[in-house]
Amino acid sequence: MTEKTTLSRRALVAGSAMLAAGPAFAATATGPTPIARLWAEAQGLASQLSAHRGAITAAATRTGASTPGWMRLGGEANAIAEQRYGKLVAILQETPKNQGDLAIIAKVSQDSDIQMGARLWASEKLAAATLALSA
């Protein structure tokens, strides 16, 4: 009997994000860039948050689409999600060192939590990062 494994859409997206971030991890002689480190930490927190996905979805459904569901929760789910959000904001505040960093900033600017809140600011940060890297 063989074991069948299926990939979820979430796993595929996370894998794609890690592949896109790969150049940022290998691009500097001193190790990963600050953006790459923050991205890895945010991805780790997202993995921890998946255990609370049902509660987050239920909270979002009750409160409408104006704020992420985790903002309406307390306890561990809120703490993890808040840490993750802080990492995403920190990424947007960093200056990219390479194309991998820019790819990460682009992904962060499209993150659903960012889109529900600091969407315009994130777009401005992405534009500034693009210009900074091209200079």
Side-chain angles (χ1 to χ4, degrees):
M1 185 165 131
T2 60
E3 190 173 316
K4 184 177 178 182
T5 305
T6 58
L7 291 175
S8 69
R9 187 175 348 160
R10 188 175 297 131
L12 289 173
V13 169
S16 298
M18 292 306 285
L19 285 175
F25 285 104
T28 63
T30 59
T33 65
I35 289 175
R37 279 193 299 275
L38 287 165
W39 179 247
E41 292 169 8
Q43 292 298 90
L45 290 166
S47 293
Q48 292 177 30
L49 201 56
S50 66
H52 303 281
R53 191 60 52 205
I56 292 169
T57 302
T61 303
R62 284 191 309 270
T63 61
S66 63
T67 58
W70 61 265
M71 287 184 172
R72 301 292 183 182
L73 297 176
E76 184 180 43
N78 181 276
I80 295 169
E82 199 165 303
Q83 287 177 7
R84 179 181 174 275
Y85 188 79
K87 302 287 181 189
L88 298 178
V89 169
I91 288 169
L92 292 170
Q93 293 174 331
E94 285 286 337
T95 301
K97 307 283 189 236
N98 55 45
Q99 290 294 325
D101 281 354
L102 190 58
I104 292 169
I105 291 171
K107 288 179 188 330
V108 169
S109 72
Q110 295 302 307
D111 183 271
S112 63
D113 288 344
I114 297 295
Q115 287 292 304
M116 293 180 110
R119 176 183 31 221
L120 295 176
W121 177 73
S123 295
E124 290 173 7
K125 297 304 277 184
L126 175 59
T130 303
L131 289 174
L133 197 58
S134 66

